[in-house]
Amino acid sequence: MTALFVALAFAAPGQFVALDRVDPTILQDMRYATSYNFVGRRIDGYREPVCILTRKAARALRRAQADLQPKGYGLKVYDCYRPTRAVEQFARWAANLADQKMKREFYPRVDKRRAFELGYIAHRSGHSRGSTVDVTLVRLPPRTQPAWDGRLRGCFARYRRRFADNGVNMGTGYDCIDPRAHTSDPRIKGRPHRNRMRLKRALERRGFEPYANEWWHFTLRDEPYPEKYFDFPVARDSLR
């Protein structure tokens, strides 16, 4: 069996790029560089709100974007490459039962101790390999994305009662730790279901594999680093 290993480095390999250098039309809403996420604070290793991916994954997203634009849609990413130190922070968060700061919005009906068991977080994340992306659809031209106002709202509340994300209605908000976030959850019907399927088809057509437990999560099938996990910071100066 080939050993998996973590590359401890402060600079990314040459195959990594900033997504906006490949396609500046793809919107970025990098939640882990802010306090608006299920942990409730900026995540370790996220020095800048920039999407970094392998060049191969970024080019595949560019092709998906080009497919969607004539139909009146575009892509918006929430997370891209994720350092292993961030994954370790998620594990510490799951083990700290006293920390329920963001429960009302992100996991109102799930015991955080079960986050690993239920497949919402992992001890090793495909994001750390650089070819996994969390992404949604926006209608074109996109509405302005407001800054988070600090209020918590249930992630599976009705669309207009959730935080005013400029993405289309997917039935839940991003990073909703709940079965309703499963791509094919039967309770998600009508337009939200069609939106999920539109995103899924667009990404699959360009070589991405969906993750059944999270409608937003896709990994490039032929990724350049299938067994290597990185820990360089999310920052432009990490790129060579």
Side-chain angles (χ1 to χ4, degrees):
M1 180 181 296
T2 302
L4 303 177
F5 66 97
V6 175
L8 299 175
F10 293 100
Q15 290 195 50
F16 281 81
V17 295
L19 176 62
D20 58 11
R21 297 296 298 271
V22 175
D23 191 333
T25 72
I26 297 175
L27 300 185
Q28 299 189 29
D29 185 3
M30 306 301 291
R31 297 286 182 86
Y32 297 150
T34 76
S35 60
Y36 184 45
N37 56 64
F38 65 88
V39 176
R41 60 186 65 89
R42 180 190 285 258
I43 303 304
D44 291 352
Y46 284 79
R47 295 184 184 172
E48 296 177 32
V50 57
C51 171
I52 294 174
L53 289 168
T54 61
R55 183 175 286 103
K56 191 171 185 178
R59 287 174 174 171
L61 278 186
R62 180 178 62 189
R63 290 190 287 272
Q65 177 84 337
D67 293 340
L68 287 162
Q69 286 173 328
K71 302 171 185 176
Y73 291 91
L75 297 173
K76 180 174 86 163
V77 295
Y78 295 112
D79 192 35
C80 301
Y81 158 73
R82 180 185 305 165
T84 58
R85 72 189 82 177
V87 179
E88 292 166 0
Q89 183 179 1
F90 292 167
R92 294 193 299 272
W93 167 85
N96 182 6
L97 301 185
D99 182 355
Q100 303 287 339
K101 179 180 179 180
M102 305 299 281
K103 181 175 178 65
R104 180 180 174 187
E105 175 149 351
F106 290 97
Y107 52 106
R109 296 183 181 177
V110 172
D111 184 335
K112 65 186 289 188
R113 290 175 294 186
R114 301 189 65 206
F116 285 104
E117 171 192 345
L118 296 173
Y120 295 109
I121 58 176
H123 290 288
R124 285 188 182 274
S125 172
H127 283 277
S128 301
R129 301 193 300 264
S131 296
T132 293
V133 63
D134 292 345
V135 60
T136 192
L137 293 174
V138 295
R139 290 290 309 198
L140 299 178
R143 294 177 285 115
T144 300
Q145 174 62 57
W148 182 49
D149 60 8
R151 292 177 54 201
L152 297 179
R153 308 159 175 87
C155 61
F156 50 75
R158 294 191 179 198
Y159 180 63
R160 296 191 181 279
R161 294 183 180 178
R162 300 199 301 269
F163 172 64
D165 191 310
N166 63 354
V168 302
N169 185 2
M170 291 290 192
T172 75
Y174 168 60
D175 257 358
C176 188
I177 301 175
D178 188 89
R180 288 171 180 80
H182 295 185
T183 305
S184 298
D185 186 277
R187 290 166 291 187
I188 306 301
K189 301 176 181 179
R191 184 172 296 173
H193 173 74
R194 292 193 297 272
N195 287 336
R196 291 185 182 190
M197 294 303 104
R198 181 177 288 111
L199 176 65
K200 180 173 179 286
R201 287 192 301 269
L203 273 291
E204 285 181 323
R205 183 169 185 261
R206 293 307 181 177
F208 288 90
E209 182 74 28
Y211 177 51
N213 285 6
E214 297 173 345
W215 58 256
W216 54 83
H217 181 116
F218 295 84
T219 298
L220 192 67
R221 292 190 191 96
D222 189 20
E223 58 182 308
Y225 297 107
E227 296 177 336
K228 194 169 184 178
Y229 296 76
F230 296 93
D231 194 45
F232 59 85
V234 177
R236 292 186 188 276
D237 63 8
S238 294
L239 299 171
R240 295 174 179 172

